[in-house]
Amino acid sequence: MMGMSVMLSSSSGEKIFGGFQKFVDPLPIPARIVADGNPAEITITMDQFTTKLHRDLPETTEWGYNGTSPGPIIEVEKDQALRVHWRSNLPTTHLFPAPKGMGGMDTMPGMPDVRSVTHLHGAVVQQPTTWSSVNTSSDGLVNSDGWPDAWITPGQEQITDYPNPQEARTLWYHDHAMGETGRNVAAGLAGLYLIHDDYERSLNLPSGDFEVPLLLQSRGLNIDGTLYYSTDIGNEFYGNAATVNGKLYPYLNVEPRKYRFRIVNISNARTYALKWVDPKDQSAGPAIYQIGTDSGFLENTAVLDDPTDPNSSRLMMAPAERADVIVDFTNYAGRSFALHNNHLDPGDAEIALPQLMMVNVGTKVSSEDTSSLPMQMRPIERMDPATAKTTRQIVFSTMNMPDGSPMLMLNGKSWEDPITEKPELGTTEVWELINTLPDMHPFHIHLVDFQVLDRTPYDVDAYLKTGQINYTGPAESPDPNEMGRKDVVRVVPRMVTRIILNFGPYPGYYVYHCHILEHEDMDMMRPYEVVAPASIGVHASHR
Ligand code: C2O
Ligand code: CU
Ligand code: CU
């Protein structure tokens, strides 16, 4: 943590705002936009506005979509095509000063200060198959995946086409402009997007008022209620406060019944490890039953925070991970529980954010709870590494720039370097994600879901000297809540994390990156190309 704007010390969470009290504001639920028609078409604006982050704070200026942060919840049905016009009504001066950029990217003369491009995280979209068309500005054009270099400026519009062929799942949209993602998301540019289908409805999950989104975001908050962002892109932005659905430390009154929560970690860099804890005596609250992950339902519900099992794990959520969970408050009438987080990155000066929100369980239900808590869902066939056509290694490391400053990279390459990953359309590959660094990096890839195969400890020092991987222990299975389809995976230190992916359904240019936004911005991001078989060898890539 750096910068003069930091007002908190890790032990003084209650002090800084004078009379600042937690859990006095109700949890806001973002507006819903249910797509109408097939294809449906909507316009969403990006704007600057003021809002009350907390009862006792003055109005805060932030950015968002359609005048709120997080933006509206966009809801579609599987196979319902949606065209979105993302119109920037942002001012031409950024909410935050440009951080000291390691590549100098943000200080390049002539660059507009405000650049934005929206990406739907988890989307399956068609991208251009020619390099020149992926890289033009998006103004008035279709840029469905939100190509990072094809940003727009205030007054301009980006068009995206989402065919939504995926099964029901929790997606989210956020800014993705090259070098600007961290600053833009910290300002508030993020929102939820849900795909529904008949299978989801057949599960009879808690719905309506009993299905609640929880978008967790760490924020940088000054004592006067203004927001701040990192002054140096070389520092991960952990912030000093947390909002849930855009409110600081809100409360939610619930009935003693089952709820479905769609939890999304929309933070720039912070990972959470979550559990319901009674603030009076620190006793454990209800278990968290995780039924779905980034890319739809699990096969087997994962039980987390089981109060009857002292070894039960917390719900761990790295940036951009989603958890679709059921919590049963039936036996907890009259009690209150904090959504408690005990995750701190070792080695980083991260300010603890132990209590994110409070639920107050009432004593009666407004109607009988007839919803279900499924322990088993549709089978998910485990992909077989023997079917992989190619195995690739993606190395997470630092490189020294000519001026001596370190730069985080994937395979020692920056965003600008020629494309090196060109999987063939329809083929399966294994990617070995090799972390040589002391911190966890959440890996994310566009267009495709993957399955996590395993994580295996290896000798990092030997690898850095010789380039050879010597495994030092047995492969560890993914956690039970990682056994479904994912699009983000924690690439933990001192291990090789293996994932398996099948590339499709479209050829074209996409990206993969670390989802710590300051890492993504300073070049832990690479383009890749899904190549249609017929064009291999014919169409020479421009990079
Ligand atoms: Cu959440 Cu490349 O994105
Ligand atoms: Cu994405
Ligand atoms: Cu990273």
Side-chain angles (χ1 to χ4, degrees):
M1 237 329 133
M2 62 293 126
M4 35 140 219
S5 40
V6 181
M7 298 294 173
L8 279 174
S9 78
S10 53
S11 56
S12 64
E14 304 297 325
K15 267 201 307 226
I16 56 151
F17 302 122
F20 180 88
Q21 237 183 303
K22 288 181 170 178
F23 321 126
V24 294
D25 293 289
L27 176 79
I29 307 294
R32 285 172 194 276
I33 295 180
V34 180
D36 187 21
N38 191 3
E41 187 162 359
I42 58 174
T43 295
I44 299 221
T45 56
M46 284 167 261
D47 357 63
Q48 174 169 304
F49 49 87
T50 61
T51 191
K52 290 277 276 184
L53 293 183
H54 183 277
R55 184 193 68 187
D56 299 331
L57 280 174
E59 296 262 334
T60 297
T61 301
E62 60 177 354
W63 288 6
Y65 298 92
N66 281 4
T68 65
S69 176
I73 304 173
I74 301 173
E75 297 190 68
V76 297
E77 192 65 18
K78 177 182 184 326
D79 295 320
Q80 180 184 19
L82 174 65
R83 167 169 282 205
V84 182
H85 300 254
W86 303 94
R87 168 153 286 278
S88 175
N89 292 339
L90 293 169
T92 50
T93 304
H94 207 286
L95 188 60
F96 305 126
K100 185 156 93 53
M102 295 204 102
M105 195 174 312
D106 294 295
T107 50
M108 222 116 88
M111 275 279 216
D113 188 34
V114 175
R115 292 167 266 151
S116 62
V117 60
T118 307
H119 165 63
L120 176 59
H121 181 124
V124 172
V125 292
Q126 199 150 9
Q127 279 287 94
T129 51
T130 53
W131 183 245
S132 51
S133 32
V134 84
N135 263 304
T136 45
S137 155
S138 310
D139 183 30
L141 298 175
V142 174
N143 172 15
S144 293
D145 201 40
W147 189 259
D149 283 331
W151 34 263
I152 57 169
T153 54
Q156 296 186 330
E157 177 178 288
Q158 167 201 356
I159 298 169
T160 56
D161 283 324
Y162 304 125
N164 301 310
Q166 308 99 306
E167 289 166 357
R169 67 189 59 190
T170 310
L171 295 79
W172 64 296
Y173 55 93
H174 60 79
D175 191 76
H176 215 301
M178 188 59 214
E180 288 293 321
T181 301
R183 190 161 66 139
N184 288 348
V185 173
L189 290 177
L192 189 67
Y193 184 110
L194 303 175
I195 300 179
H196 300 291
D197 66 12
D198 288 335
Y199 178 71
E200 177 193 19
R201 281 184 287 272
S202 78
L203 291 173
N204 186 38
L205 302 170
S207 61
D209 289 346
F210 312 114
E211 179 188 356
V212 179
L214 300 177
L215 279 66
L216 314 180
Q217 187 172 23
S218 52
R219 310 301 289 269
L221 191 67
N222 295 309
I223 199 153
D224 62 359
T226 57
L227 295 173
Y228 72 84
Y229 179 58
S230 193
T231 52
D232 182 339
I233 200 84
N235 293 318
E236 295 88 359
F237 178 65
Y238 294 113
N240 62 352
T243 52
V244 185
N245 298 351
K247 202 53 105 172
L248 283 165
Y249 309 110
Y251 70 84
L252 174 68
N253 292 335
V254 299
E255 298 180 5
R257 65 190 302 149
K258 291 190 286 301
Y259 279 75
R260 179 183 186 187
F261 293 106
R262 308 268 200 155
I263 311 178
V264 188
N265 183 357
I266 63 171
S267 304
N268 286 42
R270 196 180 275 268
T271 293
Y272 300 94
L274 302 170
K275 180 179 182 159
W276 298 109
V277 174
D278 187 331
K280 284 202 215 83
D281 56 8
Q282 306 305 310
S283 65
I288 293 180
Y289 292 89
Q290 188 171 348
I291 56 171
T293 176
D294 306 332
S295 312
F297 294 109
L298 287 159
E299 176 173 345
N300 296 302
T301 296
V303 187
L304 299 151
D305 298 323
D306 182 350
T308 64
D309 173 4
N311 296 318
S312 181
S313 358
R314 284 181 175 238
L315 171 59
M316 175 91 99
M317 296 193 73
E321 282 193 300
R322 284 87 78 204
D324 192 349
V325 309
I326 307 279
V327 177
D328 190 353
F329 295 107
T330 304
N331 296 322
Y332 296 90
R335 299 190 51 190
S336 290
F337 299 101
L339 184 57
H340 188 272
N341 162 47
N342 72 352
H343 189 271
L344 280 181
D345 269 318
D348 284 318
E350 208 181 317
I351 289 168
L353 298 177
Q355 295 179 331
L356 305 180
M357 64 175 286
M358 189 73 74
V359 291
N360 304 315
V361 189
T363 51
K364 44 179 188 296
V365 290
S366 55
S367 59
E368 195 193 337
D369 182 3
T370 55
S371 67
S372 311
L373 163 52
M375 293 309 288
Q376 213 168 16
M377 285 143 296
R378 272 188 299 212
I380 294 175
E381 205 192 317
R382 293 295 292 170
M383 292 166 74
D384 180 0
T387 64
K389 190 166 172 211
T390 308
T391 296
R392 297 182 197 270
Q393 297 190 329
I394 309 291
V395 182
F396 293 64
S397 63
T398 44
M399 305 287 285
N400 278 328
M401 300 315 288
D403 70 354
S405 61
M407 184 125 168
L408 288 162
M409 288 189 165
L410 298 170
N411 286 343
K413 299 192 187 321
S414 76
W415 171 248
E416 304 292 335
D417 285 315
I419 291 180
T420 39
E421 286 72 41
K422 298 181 183 181
E424 196 179 318
L425 182 66
T427 61
T428 298
E429 299 195 352
V430 169
W431 286 25
E432 299 177 344
L433 310 172
I434 302 168
N435 189 349
T436 69
L437 302 167
D439 290 331
M440 183 279 291
H441 298 262
F443 171 88
H444 169 54
I445 187 163
H446 291 201
L447 180 70
V448 293
D449 309 332
F450 52 76
Q451 291 181 6
V452 184
L453 291 171
D454 48 33
R455 295 184 177 94
T456 313
Y458 76 107
D459 185 336
V460 179
D461 294 334
Y463 176 77
L464 289 174
K465 276 188 214 108
T466 66
Q468 294 300 312
I469 293 190
N470 301 324
Y471 289 114
T472 55
E476 295 174 13
S477 303
D479 294 343
N481 64 348
E482 296 180 312
M483 292 300 282
R485 299 182 181 94
K486 301 264 303 154
D487 61 32
V488 181
V489 64
R490 284 177 283 114
V491 179
V492 301
R494 292 173 294 281
M495 290 195 143
V496 176
T497 301
R498 288 198 314 154
I499 60 172
I500 184 165
L501 336 79
N502 183 277
F503 288 91
Y506 303 118
Y509 293 97
Y510 299 91
V511 311
Y512 66 88
H513 57 90
C514 174
H515 219 291
I516 290 177
L517 303 184
E518 292 67 41
H519 293 183
E520 169 181 341
D521 280 340
M522 51 178 274
D523 273 295
M524 238 182 196
M525 176 159 77
R526 294 279 298 142
Y528 81 96
E529 183 184 5
V530 180
V531 183
S535 69
I536 287 177
V538 177
H539 135 134
S541 174
H542 296 246
R543 297 175 65 148

